[in-house]
Amino acid sequence: MLLFLQGTLRAWLIESIATAQALGTSGLLLFAVLYIFATIAALPASLLTLAAGLLYGPYIGAVLVLCSSVAGAVAAFLLARSWLRPWVEGRYGERVAFRTIAEKTEEHGAKLVFLLRLSPFVPFSILNYLLGLTNVSLRGYTVASAVGMVPGILLYTHLGTSLGSLSELGNGVSLGGGWLFWMGLAATLLVTIVLGRWSAQALRGKSELPS
């Protein structure tokens, strides 16, 4: 997770987030560009998702993150189908995990993309490039990715609202707030866990993908 990154990269991200915060409403665009860049650069974006909850609230933050992450995911997907295809194939094409994803995508298409997005165990940024090598359509990839991202994004933006300031990012999330916050967080966490377990079972072949 990006929460554990140290040094220059982490400091630059925190500084960029602070700049977006200082710009107020106009900072939304800067934050979106930062998120898209992080997605294309294959950086885990959990820190940015938490920051969105802190800066803009759980729901506006979630919408911002969803739009930005989908835009970044689509850009990475298209890069893997064009300029970066030789590099992605050379780096990941022979791996068993990729061959399994490619094979299952031939059969299930966007359904598999949806399940992969639900699973908390699948690296989001790398998956964008891997799926670019499969036969899933751009439309199917985009819609399935957007829907599958929602539970995890809501969980992290809700967690972000419990932070007191940007300085707390990366130092652990100190949960707080009233009972409404706790109920909303518990419900989101439960949905994330249940959907994640279901998708993991489906990906292992223990249950059939819905038709």
Side-chain angles (χ1 to χ4, degrees):
M1 292 171 61
L2 195 55
L3 294 178
F4 300 111
L5 288 180
Q6 301 295 326
T8 304
L9 177 58
R10 180 178 176 277
W12 174 76
L13 283 171
I14 297 295
E15 182 179 349
S16 299
I17 294 169
T19 301
Q21 182 182 34
L23 290 173
T25 304
S26 59
L28 288 166
L29 179 59
L30 174 60
F31 191 95
V33 171
L34 183 63
Y35 205 106
I36 292 170
F37 166 78
T39 302
I40 295 173
L43 299 175
S46 53
L47 184 148
L48 289 167
T49 309
L50 287 170
L54 169 64
L55 270 56
Y56 308 111
Y59 303 113
I60 293 178
V63 172
L64 174 62
V65 168
L66 180 61
C67 294
S68 303
S69 60
V70 169
V74 168
F77 178 85
L78 294 175
L79 284 171
R81 287 197 164 176
S82 54
W83 298 335
L84 293 183
R85 186 178 188 93
W87 180 83
V88 178
E89 286 181 332
R91 186 171 179 84
Y92 300 106
E94 297 303 317
R95 297 192 181 187
V96 174
F98 167 70
R99 291 202 299 268
T100 301
I101 289 173
E103 178 184 343
K104 293 296 183 181
T105 304
E106 290 281 347
E107 184 178 356
H108 300 292
K111 297 174 189 175
L112 180 67
V113 177
F114 172 71
L115 291 174
L116 288 168
R117 293 305 191 191
L118 287 176
S119 177
F121 307 109
V122 180
F124 168 77
S125 297
I126 299 301
L127 184 63
N128 298 329
Y129 288 98
L130 294 182
L131 290 171
L133 302 182
T134 68
N135 70 340
V136 65
S137 69
L138 175 60
R139 179 181 179 182
Y141 167 83
T142 303
V143 173
S145 293
V147 176
M149 291 175 192
V150 171
I153 289 175
L154 282 172
L155 173 61
Y156 270 84
T157 54
H158 272 82
L159 285 171
T161 62
S162 69
L163 295 171
S165 66
L166 287 177
S167 63
E168 294 183 32
L169 283 174
N171 297 323
V173 180
S174 176
L175 294 177
W179 64 274
L180 286 174
F181 168 82
W182 283 99
M183 287 183 64
L185 178 61
T188 306
L189 181 60
L190 179 62
V191 169
T192 303
I193 292 174
V194 170
L195 291 179
R197 290 183 62 183
W198 172 65
S199 63
Q201 290 175 352
L203 291 171
R204 288 196 302 265
K206 292 186 177 181
S207 62
E208 293 189 5
L209 293 170
S211 58

Coordinates of all heavy atoms in Angstrom, one line a residue, residues 13-110:
L13 N 3.8 13.5 -2.7 CA 2.3 13.3 -2.7 C 1.6 14.1 -1.7 O 0.6 14.7 -1.9 CB 2.0 11.8 -2.6 CG 2.3 10.9 -3.8 CD1 2.2 9.4 -3.4 CD2 1.3 11.2 -4.9
I14 N 2.1 14.0 -0.4 CA 1.5 14.8 0.6 C 1.5 16.3 0.3 O 0.5 17.0 0.5 CB 2.2 14.6 2.0 CG1 2.1 13.1 2.4 CG2 1.7 15.5 3.1 CD1 0.7 12.6 2.7
E15 N 2.6 16.8 -0.2 CA 2.7 18.2 -0.6 C 1.7 18.5 -1.7 O 1.0 19.6 -1.7 CB 4.1 18.5 -1.1 CG 4.3 20.0 -1.5 CD 5.7 20.3 -1.9 OE1 6.6 19.4 -1.7 OE2 5.9 21.4 -2.4
S16 N 1.5 17.6 -2.7 CA 0.6 17.9 -3.8 C -0.9 17.9 -3.3 O -1.7 18.7 -3.7 CB 0.8 16.8 -4.9 OG 2.1 16.8 -5.4
I17 N -1.2 17.0 -2.4 CA -2.5 16.9 -1.8 C -2.8 18.2 -1.0 O -3.9 18.7 -1.1 CB -2.6 15.7 -0.9 CG1 -2.6 14.4 -1.7 CG2 -4.0 15.7 -0.1 CD1 -2.4 13.1 -0.9
A18 N -1.8 18.7 -0.3 CA -1.9 19.9 0.5 C -2.2 21.1 -0.4 O -3.0 22.0 -0.1 CB -0.7 20.1 1.3
T19 N -1.6 21.1 -1.6 CA -1.8 22.2 -2.6 C -3.2 22.1 -3.1 O -3.9 23.2 -3.2 CB -0.8 22.0 -3.8 OG1 0.5 22.1 -3.3 CG2 -1.0 23.1 -4.8
A20 N -3.7 20.9 -3.3 CA -5.1 20.8 -3.8 C -6.1 21.2 -2.7 O -7.1 21.9 -3.0 CB -5.4 19.3 -4.1
Q21 N -5.8 20.9 -1.5 CA -6.6 21.4 -0.4 C -6.6 22.9 -0.3 O -7.7 23.5 -0.1 CB -6.1 20.8 0.9 CG -6.9 21.2 2.2 CD -6.3 20.6 3.4 OE1 -5.1 20.5 3.6 NE2 -7.2 20.2 4.4
A22 N -5.5 23.5 -0.4 CA -5.4 25.0 -0.3 C -6.1 25.7 -1.5 O -6.6 26.8 -1.3 CB -3.9 25.4 -0.3
L23 N -6.3 25.0 -2.6 CA -7.0 25.7 -3.7 C -8.5 25.6 -3.6 O -9.2 26.2 -4.4 CB -6.5 25.0 -5.0 CG -5.1 25.2 -5.5 CD1 -4.8 24.3 -6.7 CD2 -4.9 26.7 -5.8
G24 N -9.0 24.9 -2.6 CA -10.4 24.8 -2.4 C -11.1 24.0 -3.5 O -10.6 23.0 -3.9
T25 N -12.2 24.6 -4.0 CA -13.0 23.8 -5.1 C -12.2 23.6 -6.3 O -12.3 22.5 -6.9 CB -14.2 24.6 -5.4 OG1 -15.0 24.9 -4.2 CG2 -15.1 23.9 -6.4
S26 N -11.3 24.6 -6.7 CA -10.5 24.4 -7.9 C -9.5 23.3 -7.7 O -8.9 22.8 -8.7 CB -9.9 25.7 -8.3 OG -9.1 26.2 -7.2
G27 N -9.2 23.0 -6.5 CA -8.2 21.9 -6.2 C -8.7 20.5 -6.6 O -7.9 19.6 -6.7
L28 N -10.0 20.4 -6.8 CA -10.6 19.1 -7.3 C -9.9 18.7 -8.6 O -9.6 17.5 -8.7 CB -12.1 19.3 -7.5 CG -13.0 19.4 -6.2 CD1 -14.4 19.9 -6.6 CD2 -13.0 18.1 -5.5
L29 N -9.7 19.6 -9.5 CA -9.1 19.2 -10.8 C -7.6 18.7 -10.5 O -7.2 17.7 -11.1 CB -9.1 20.4 -11.7 CG -8.4 20.2 -13.1 CD1 -9.1 19.0 -13.8 CD2 -8.5 21.4 -13.9
L30 N -6.9 19.4 -9.7 CA -5.5 19.0 -9.4 C -5.5 17.7 -8.8 O -4.7 16.8 -9.1 CB -4.9 20.1 -8.5 CG -3.4 19.7 -8.0 CD1 -2.5 19.5 -9.1 CD2 -2.9 20.8 -7.0
F31 N -6.4 17.4 -7.8 CA -6.5 16.1 -7.2 C -6.8 15.0 -8.2 O -6.2 14.0 -8.1 CB -7.5 16.2 -6.1 CG -7.5 15.0 -5.2 CD1 -6.8 15.0 -4.0 CD2 -8.1 13.8 -5.5 CE1 -6.8 13.9 -3.1 CE2 -8.1 12.7 -4.7 CZ -7.4 12.7 -3.5
A32 N -7.7 15.3 -9.1 CA -8.0 14.3 -10.1 C -6.9 14.0 -11.0 O -6.6 12.8 -11.3 CB -9.2 14.8 -11.0
V33 N -6.1 15.0 -11.4 CA -4.9 14.8 -12.2 C -3.9 14.0 -11.5 O -3.3 13.1 -12.0 CB -4.3 16.1 -12.7 CG1 -3.0 16.0 -13.3 CG2 -5.3 16.9 -13.6
L34 N -3.7 14.3 -10.2 CA -2.8 13.6 -9.4 C -3.1 12.1 -9.2 O -2.3 11.2 -9.3 CB -2.7 14.2 -8.0 CG -1.7 13.6 -7.0 CD1 -0.3 13.8 -7.5 CD2 -1.9 14.3 -5.6
Y35 N -4.4 11.8 -9.1 CA -4.9 10.5 -8.9 C -4.7 9.7 -10.3 O -4.3 8.5 -10.2 CB -6.4 10.5 -8.5 CG -6.8 9.2 -7.8 CD1 -7.0 9.2 -6.4 CD2 -7.0 8.0 -8.5 CE1 -7.4 8.1 -5.8 CE2 -7.4 6.9 -7.8 CZ -7.6 6.9 -6.5 OH -7.9 5.7 -5.8
I36 N -5.1 10.3 -11.4 CA -4.9 9.7 -12.7 C -3.4 9.4 -12.9 O -3.1 8.3 -13.4 CB -5.5 10.6 -13.8 CG1 -7.0 10.7 -13.6 CG2 -5.1 10.1 -15.2 CD1 -7.6 11.8 -14.5
F37 N -2.5 10.3 -12.6 CA -1.1 10.1 -12.7 C -0.7 8.9 -11.9 O 0.1 8.0 -12.4 CB -0.3 11.3 -12.3 CG 1.2 11.0 -12.1 CD1 2.0 10.9 -13.2 CD2 1.7 10.9 -10.8 CE1 3.4 10.6 -13.0 CE2 3.0 10.6 -10.7 CZ 3.9 10.5 -11.8
A38 N -1.1 8.8 -10.6 CA -0.7 7.7 -9.8 C -1.2 6.4 -10.3 O -0.5 5.3 -10.2 CB -1.3 7.9 -8.4
T39 N -2.4 6.4 -10.9 CA -3.0 5.1 -11.5 C -2.2 4.7 -12.7 O -1.8 3.5 -12.8 CB -4.4 5.3 -11.9 OG1 -5.2 5.7 -10.7 CG2 -5.0 4.1 -12.4
I40 N -1.8 5.6 -13.6 CA -1.1 5.3 -14.8 C 0.3 4.8 -14.4 O 0.9 3.9 -15.0 CB -1.0 6.5 -15.7 CG1 -2.4 6.8 -16.3 CG2 -0.1 6.2 -16.9 CD1 -2.5 8.0 -17.1
A41 N 0.9 5.4 -13.3 CA 2.3 5.1 -12.9 C 2.3 3.8 -12.1 O 3.3 3.4 -11.6 CB 2.8 6.2 -12.1
A42 N 1.1 3.2 -11.9 CA 1.0 1.9 -11.2 C 1.4 2.0 -9.7 O 2.0 1.2 -9.1 CB 1.8 0.8 -11.9
L43 N 1.0 3.2 -9.1 CA 1.2 3.4 -7.7 C 0.0 3.0 -7.0 O -1.1 3.4 -7.4 CB 1.6 4.9 -7.4 CG 2.8 5.4 -8.1 CD1 2.9 6.9 -7.8 CD2 4.1 4.7 -7.6
P44 N 0.1 2.3 -5.9 CA -1.1 2.0 -5.0 C -1.7 3.3 -4.5 O -0.9 4.1 -4.0 CB -0.6 1.2 -3.9 CG 0.7 0.6 -4.4 CD 1.3 1.6 -5.3
A45 N -2.9 3.5 -4.7 CA -3.5 4.9 -4.5 C -4.3 5.0 -3.2 O -5.2 5.9 -3.1 CB -4.4 5.3 -5.7
S46 N -4.1 4.1 -2.3 CA -4.9 4.1 -1.0 C -4.7 5.4 -0.3 O -5.7 5.9 0.3 CB -4.5 2.9 -0.1 OG -3.1 2.9 0.1
L47 N -3.5 6.0 -0.2 CA -3.3 7.2 0.5 C -4.1 8.3 -0.1 O -4.7 9.1 0.6 CB -1.8 7.6 0.4 CG -1.3 8.8 1.2 CD1 0.1 8.6 1.7 CD2 -1.4 10.0 0.3
L48 N -4.2 8.4 -1.5 CA -5.0 9.4 -2.2 C -6.5 9.2 -1.9 O -7.2 10.2 -1.8 CB -4.7 9.4 -3.6 CG -3.3 9.9 -4.1 CD1 -3.0 9.5 -5.5 CD2 -3.2 11.4 -3.9
T49 N -6.9 8.0 -1.8 CA -8.3 7.7 -1.6 C -8.7 8.2 -0.2 O -9.8 8.8 0.1 CB -8.7 6.3 -1.8 OG1 -8.2 5.8 -3.1 CG2 -10.2 6.0 -1.7
L50 N -7.8 7.9 0.8 CA -8.1 8.4 2.2 C -8.1 9.9 2.2 O -8.9 10.5 2.9 CB -7.0 7.9 3.1 CG -7.0 6.4 3.5 CD1 -5.7 6.0 4.2 CD2 -8.2 6.1 4.4
A51 N -7.2 10.5 1.5 CA -7.1 12.0 1.4 C -8.4 12.6 0.8 O -8.8 13.6 1.3 CB -5.9 12.4 0.6
A52 N -8.9 11.9 -0.2 CA -10.2 12.4 -0.8 C -11.3 12.5 0.3 O -12.1 13.4 0.3 CB -10.6 11.5 -2.0
G53 N -11.4 11.4 1.1 CA -12.4 11.4 2.2 C -12.1 12.6 3.2 O -13.1 13.2 3.6
L54 N -10.9 12.8 3.5 CA -10.5 13.9 4.4 C -10.9 15.2 3.9 O -11.5 16.1 4.5 CB -9.0 13.8 4.8 CG -8.5 15.0 5.6 CD1 -9.1 15.1 6.9 CD2 -6.9 14.8 5.7
L55 N -10.5 15.5 2.6 CA -10.6 16.8 2.0 C -12.1 17.1 1.6 O -12.5 18.3 1.7 CB -9.7 16.9 0.8 CG -8.3 17.5 1.0 CD1 -7.5 16.7 2.1 CD2 -7.5 17.5 -0.3
Y56 N -12.8 16.1 1.0 CA -14.0 16.4 0.4 C -15.2 15.6 0.9 O -16.3 15.8 0.4 CB -13.9 16.1 -1.1 CG -12.7 16.8 -1.8 CD1 -11.6 16.0 -2.2 CD2 -12.7 18.1 -1.9 CE1 -10.5 16.7 -2.8 CE2 -11.6 18.8 -2.5 CZ -10.5 18.0 -2.9 OH -9.4 18.7 -3.5
G57 N -15.0 14.8 2.0 CA -16.1 14.1 2.6 C -16.2 12.7 1.9 O -15.7 12.5 0.8
P58 N -16.9 11.8 2.5 CA -17.0 10.4 2.0 C -17.7 10.2 0.7 O -17.3 9.3 -0.1 CB -17.8 9.7 3.1 CG -18.6 10.7 3.8 CD -17.7 12.0 3.7
Y59 N -18.6 11.1 0.4 CA -19.4 10.9 -0.9 C -18.9 11.7 -2.0 O -18.7 11.1 -3.1 CB -20.9 11.1 -0.6 CG -21.4 10.3 0.5 CD1 -21.8 10.8 1.7 CD2 -21.5 8.9 0.4 CE1 -22.3 10.0 2.8 CE2 -21.9 8.1 1.4 CZ -22.3 8.7 2.6 OH -22.7 7.9 3.7
I60 N -18.6 13.0 -1.8 CA -18.0 13.7 -2.9 C -16.6 13.2 -3.2 O -16.2 13.1 -4.3 CB -17.9 15.2 -2.5 CG1 -19.3 15.8 -2.4 CG2 -17.1 16.0 -3.5 CD1 -19.4 17.3 -2.0
G61 N -15.9 12.8 -2.1 CA -14.6 12.2 -2.3 C -14.7 10.9 -3.0 O -13.8 10.7 -3.9
A62 N -15.7 10.1 -2.8 CA -15.8 8.8 -3.5 C -16.1 9.0 -5.0 O -15.6 8.3 -5.8 CB -16.9 8.0 -2.8
V63 N -17.0 10.0 -5.3 CA -17.3 10.3 -6.7 C -16.0 10.8 -7.4 O -15.7 10.4 -8.5 CB -18.4 11.4 -6.8 CG1 -18.5 11.8 -8.2 CG2 -19.7 10.8 -6.3
L64 N -15.2 11.7 -6.7 CA -14.0 12.2 -7.3 C -13.0 11.1 -7.6 O -12.4 11.0 -8.7 CB -13.4 13.2 -6.4 CG -12.0 13.8 -6.7 CD1 -12.1 14.5 -8.1 CD2 -11.5 14.7 -5.7
V65 N -12.9 10.2 -6.6 CA -11.9 9.1 -6.7 C -12.4 8.1 -7.8 O -11.6 7.6 -8.6 CB -11.7 8.3 -5.4 CG1 -11.0 7.0 -5.6 CG2 -11.0 9.2 -4.4
L66 N -13.7 7.8 -7.8 CA -14.2 6.9 -8.8 C -14.0 7.4 -10.2 O -13.5 6.7 -11.1 CB -15.7 6.7 -8.6 CG -16.4 5.7 -9.6 CD1 -15.8 4.3 -9.5 CD2 -17.9 5.7 -9.3
C67 N -14.3 8.7 -10.5 CA -14.1 9.3 -11.8 C -12.6 9.2 -12.2 O -12.2 8.9 -13.3 CB -14.6 10.7 -11.9 SG -16.4 10.8 -11.7
S68 N -11.8 9.6 -11.2 CA -10.3 9.7 -11.5 C -9.7 8.3 -11.7 O -8.9 8.1 -12.6 CB -9.6 10.4 -10.3 OG -10.2 11.7 -10.1
S69 N -10.1 7.3 -10.9 CA -9.5 6.0 -11.0 C -10.0 5.3 -12.3 O -9.2 4.6 -12.9 CB -9.9 5.2 -9.8 OG -11.3 5.0 -9.6
V70 N -11.3 5.6 -12.7 CA -11.7 5.0 -13.9 C -11.0 5.6 -15.1 O -10.5 4.9 -16.0 CB -13.2 5.2 -14.1 CG1 -13.7 4.9 -15.5 CG2 -14.0 4.3 -13.1
A71 N -10.8 6.9 -15.1 CA -10.0 7.6 -16.1 C -8.6 7.1 -16.2 O -8.1 6.8 -17.3 CB -10.0 9.1 -15.9
G72 N -7.9 6.9 -15.1 CA -6.6 6.4 -15.1 C -6.5 4.9 -15.5 O -5.6 4.5 -16.2
A73 N -7.5 4.1 -15.1 CA -7.6 2.7 -15.5 C -7.8 2.6 -17.0 O -7.2 1.7 -17.6 CB -8.7 2.0 -14.7
V74 N -8.6 3.4 -17.5 CA -8.9 3.3 -19.0 C -7.6 3.7 -19.7 O -7.2 3.1 -20.8 CB -10.1 4.2 -19.4 CG1 -10.1 4.4 -20.9 CG2 -11.4 3.6 -18.9
A75 N -6.9 4.8 -19.3 CA -5.7 5.2 -19.9 C -4.6 4.1 -19.9 O -4.0 3.8 -20.9 CB -5.1 6.5 -19.2
A76 N -4.5 3.5 -18.7 CA -3.5 2.4 -18.6 C -3.9 1.2 -19.5 O -3.0 0.6 -20.2 CB -3.4 1.9 -17.2
F77 N -5.2 0.9 -19.6 CA -5.7 -0.2 -20.4 C -5.4 0.1 -21.9 O -4.9 -0.8 -22.6 CB -7.2 -0.2 -20.2 CG -8.0 -1.3 -21.0 CD1 -8.1 -2.6 -20.6 CD2 -8.6 -0.9 -22.2 CE1 -8.8 -3.5 -21.3 CE2 -9.3 -1.8 -22.9 CZ -9.4 -3.1 -22.5
L78 N -5.6 1.3 -22.3 CA -5.3 1.7 -23.7 C -3.8 1.7 -24.0 O -3.4 1.3 -25.1 CB -6.0 3.0 -24.0 CG -7.5 3.0 -24.0 CD1 -8.0 4.5 -24.2 CD2 -8.1 2.1 -25.1
L79 N -3.0 2.1 -23.1 CA -1.6 2.1 -23.3 C -1.1 0.7 -23.4 O -0.2 0.4 -24.2 CB -0.9 2.8 -22.1 CG -0.9 4.3 -22.0 CD1 -0.4 4.8 -20.7 CD2 -0.1 4.9 -23.2
A80 N -1.7 -0.3 -22.7 CA -1.3 -1.7 -22.8 C -1.7 -2.3 -24.1 O -1.1 -3.3 -24.5 CB -1.9 -2.5 -21.6
R81 N -2.7 -1.7 -24.7 CA -3.1 -2.2 -26.0 C -2.4 -1.5 -27.2 O -2.6 -1.8 -28.4 CB -4.6 -2.0 -26.2 CG -5.4 -2.9 -25.4 CD -6.9 -3.1 -25.8 NE -7.5 -4.2 -25.2 CZ -8.7 -4.6 -25.3 NH1 -9.6 -3.8 -26.1 NH2 -9.2 -5.7 -24.8
S82 N -1.6 -0.5 -26.9 CA -0.9 0.2 -27.9 C 0.6 0.3 -27.7 O 1.4 -0.7 -27.8 CB -1.5 1.6 -28.1 OG -1.6 2.3 -26.9
W83 N 1.1 1.5 -27.2 CA 2.5 1.7 -27.1 C 3.2 0.8 -26.1 O 4.4 0.4 -26.3 CB 2.7 3.2 -26.6 CG 2.2 4.2 -27.6 CD1 2.0 4.0 -29.0 CD2 1.8 5.5 -27.3 NE1 1.5 5.2 -29.5 CE2 1.4 6.1 -28.6 CE3 1.7 6.3 -26.2 CZ2 0.9 7.4 -28.6 CZ3 1.2 7.6 -26.2 CH2 0.8 8.2 -27.5
L84 N 2.6 0.5 -25.0 CA 3.2 -0.3 -24.0 C 3.0 -1.8 -24.1 O 3.5 -2.5 -23.2 CB 2.8 0.2 -22.6 CG 3.2 1.6 -22.2 CD1 2.8 1.9 -20.8 CD2 4.7 1.8 -22.3
R85 N 2.3 -2.2 -25.1 CA 2.0 -3.6 -25.2 C 3.3 -4.5 -25.2 O 3.3 -5.5 -24.4 CB 1.2 -3.9 -26.5 CG 0.7 -5.4 -26.5 CD -0.1 -5.6 -27.8 NE -0.7 -7.0 -27.7 CZ -1.9 -7.2 -27.2 NH1 -2.7 -6.2 -26.8 NH2 -2.4 -8.4 -27.2
P86 N 4.3 -4.2 -25.9 CA 5.5 -5.1 -25.9 C 6.1 -5.2 -24.5 O 6.5 -6.3 -24.0 CB 6.5 -4.4 -26.9 CG 5.6 -3.7 -27.8 CD 4.5 -3.2 -26.9
W87 N 6.1 -4.0 -23.8 CA 6.7 -4.0 -22.4 C 5.8 -4.8 -21.4 O 6.4 -5.6 -20.6 CB 6.8 -2.6 -21.9 CG 7.4 -2.5 -20.5 CD1 8.7 -2.5 -20.2 CD2 6.7 -2.4 -19.3 NE1 8.9 -2.4 -18.8 CE2 7.6 -2.4 -18.2 CE3 5.3 -2.4 -19.0 CZ2 7.3 -2.3 -16.9 CZ3 4.9 -2.3 -17.6 CH2 5.9 -2.2 -16.6
V88 N 4.5 -4.7 -21.5 CA 3.6 -5.4 -20.6 C 3.7 -6.9 -20.9 O 3.8 -7.7 -19.9 CB 2.2 -4.9 -20.7 CG1 1.2 -5.7 -19.8 CG2 2.1 -3.4 -20.4
E89 N 3.7 -7.3 -22.2 CA 3.8 -8.7 -22.5 C 5.1 -9.3 -22.0 O 5.1 -10.4 -21.5 CB 3.6 -8.8 -24.0 CG 2.2 -8.6 -24.5 CD 2.1 -8.9 -26.0 OE1 3.2 -8.6 -26.7 OE2 1.0 -9.2 -26.5
G90 N 6.2 -8.5 -22.2 CA 7.5 -9.0 -21.8 C 7.6 -9.2 -20.3 O 8.3 -10.1 -19.8
R91 N 6.9 -8.3 -19.6 CA 7.1 -8.3 -18.1 C 6.1 -9.3 -17.4 O 6.4 -10.0 -16.5 CB 6.8 -6.9 -17.5 CG 7.1 -6.8 -16.0 CD 7.0 -5.4 -15.6 NE 7.2 -5.3 -14.1 CZ 8.4 -5.3 -13.5 NH1 9.5 -5.3 -14.3 NH2 8.5 -5.1 -12.2
Y92 N 4.9 -9.4 -18.0 CA 3.8 -10.2 -17.3 C 3.2 -11.3 -18.2 O 2.5 -12.2 -17.6 CB 2.7 -9.3 -16.9 CG 3.1 -8.2 -15.9 CD1 3.2 -6.8 -16.3 CD2 3.4 -8.5 -14.6 CE1 3.6 -5.8 -15.5 CE2 3.7 -7.5 -13.7 CZ 3.8 -6.2 -14.2 OH 4.2 -5.2 -13.3
G93 N 3.5 -11.3 -19.5 CA 2.8 -12.2 -20.4 C 3.0 -13.7 -20.1 O 2.1 -14.5 -20.4
E94 N 4.1 -14.1 -19.5 CA 4.4 -15.5 -19.3 C 4.0 -15.9 -17.9 O 4.2 -17.1 -17.5 CB 5.9 -15.8 -19.5 CG 6.3 -15.5 -20.9 CD 5.5 -16.4 -21.9 OE1 5.3 -17.6 -21.6 OE2 5.1 -15.8 -23.0
R95 N 3.5 -15.0 -17.1 CA 3.2 -15.4 -15.7 C 1.9 -16.2 -15.7 O 0.9 -15.9 -16.4 CB 3.0 -14.1 -14.8 CG 4.4 -13.4 -14.7 CD 4.3 -12.3 -13.6 NE 5.5 -11.6 -13.5 CZ 5.8 -10.7 -12.5 NH1 4.9 -10.4 -11.6 NH2 7.0 -10.1 -12.5
V96 N 1.8 -17.1 -14.8 CA 0.7 -18.0 -14.7 C -0.6 -17.2 -14.3 O -1.7 -17.5 -14.9 CB 0.9 -19.1 -13.6 CG1 -0.4 -19.9 -13.4 CG2 2.1 -20.0 -13.9
A97 N -0.5 -16.2 -13.5 CA -1.6 -15.4 -13.1 C -2.2 -14.7 -14.3 O -3.5 -14.7 -14.5 CB -1.2 -14.4 -12.0
F98 N -1.4 -14.2 -15.2 CA -1.9 -13.5 -16.3 C -2.5 -14.5 -17.3 O -3.6 -14.2 -17.8 CB -0.8 -12.7 -17.1 CG -1.2 -12.3 -18.4 CD1 -2.2 -11.3 -18.6 CD2 -0.7 -12.9 -19.6 CE1 -2.6 -10.8 -19.8 CE2 -1.2 -12.5 -20.8 CZ -2.1 -11.5 -20.9
R99 N -1.9 -15.6 -17.5 CA -2.5 -16.6 -18.5 C -3.8 -17.1 -18.0 O -4.7 -17.3 -18.8 CB -1.5 -17.8 -18.6 CG -0.2 -17.4 -19.4 CD 0.4 -18.7 -20.0 NE 0.8 -19.6 -18.9 CZ 2.0 -19.6 -18.3 NH1 2.9 -18.7 -18.7 NH2 2.3 -20.5 -17.4
T100 N -4.0 -17.2 -16.7 CA -5.3 -17.6 -16.1 C -6.3 -16.5 -16.3 O -7.5 -16.8 -16.7 CB -5.2 -17.8 -14.6 OG1 -4.2 -18.9 -14.4 CG2 -6.5 -18.2 -14.0
I101 N -5.9 -15.2 -16.1 CA -6.9 -14.1 -16.3 C -7.3 -14.0 -17.8 O -8.4 -13.9 -18.1 CB -6.2 -12.8 -15.9 CG1 -6.1 -12.7 -14.3 CG2 -7.0 -11.6 -16.4 CD1 -5.3 -11.5 -13.8
A102 N -6.3 -14.2 -18.7 CA -6.6 -14.1 -20.1 C -7.5 -15.2 -20.5 O -8.4 -15.0 -21.3 CB -5.3 -14.2 -20.9
E103 N -7.3 -16.4 -20.0 CA -8.1 -17.6 -20.4 C -9.6 -17.4 -19.9 O -10.5 -17.6 -20.6 CB -7.5 -18.8 -19.8 CG -8.4 -20.1 -20.0 CD -7.8 -21.3 -19.4 OE1 -6.6 -21.3 -18.9 OE2 -8.5 -22.3 -19.2
K104 N -9.7 -16.9 -18.6 CA -11.0 -16.7 -18.1 C -11.8 -15.5 -18.7 O -13.0 -15.6 -18.9 CB -10.9 -16.5 -16.6 CG -10.4 -17.7 -15.8 CD -11.4 -18.8 -15.8 CE -11.0 -20.0 -15.0 NZ -11.9 -21.1 -15.1
T105 N -11.0 -14.5 -19.1 CA -11.6 -13.4 -19.8 C -12.2 -13.8 -21.2 O -13.2 -13.3 -21.6 CB -10.6 -12.3 -20.0 OG1 -10.0 -11.9 -18.8 CG2 -11.2 -11.0 -20.6
E106 N -11.5 -14.7 -21.8 CA -12.1 -15.3 -23.1 C -13.5 -15.8 -22.9 O -14.4 -15.7 -23.8 CB -11.2 -16.4 -23.6 CG -9.8 -15.9 -24.1 CD -9.9 -15.4 -25.5 OE1 -10.9 -15.5 -26.2 OE2 -8.9 -14.7 -25.9
E107 N -13.7 -16.4 -21.7 CA -15.0 -17.0 -21.5 C -16.0 -16.1 -20.8 O -17.2 -16.1 -21.1 CB -14.8 -18.2 -20.5 CG -16.0 -19.1 -20.2 CD -15.7 -20.3 -19.4 OE1 -14.5 -20.5 -19.0 OE2 -16.6 -21.0 -19.0
H108 N -15.6 -15.2 -19.9 CA -16.5 -14.4 -19.1 C -16.4 -12.9 -19.3 O -17.3 -12.2 -18.8 CB -16.3 -14.7 -17.6 CG -16.4 -16.2 -17.2 ND1 -17.7 -16.8 -17.3 CD2 -15.5 -17.1 -16.8 CE1 -17.5 -18.1 -16.9 NE2 -16.2 -18.3 -16.6
G109 N -15.4 -12.4 -20.0 CA -15.3 -11.0 -20.3 C -15.5 -10.1 -19.1 O -14.8 -10.2 -18.1
A110 N -16.4 -9.1 -19.3 CA -16.6 -8.1 -18.3 C -17.0 -8.6 -16.9 O -16.7 -8.0 -15.9 CB -17.6 -7.1 -18.7

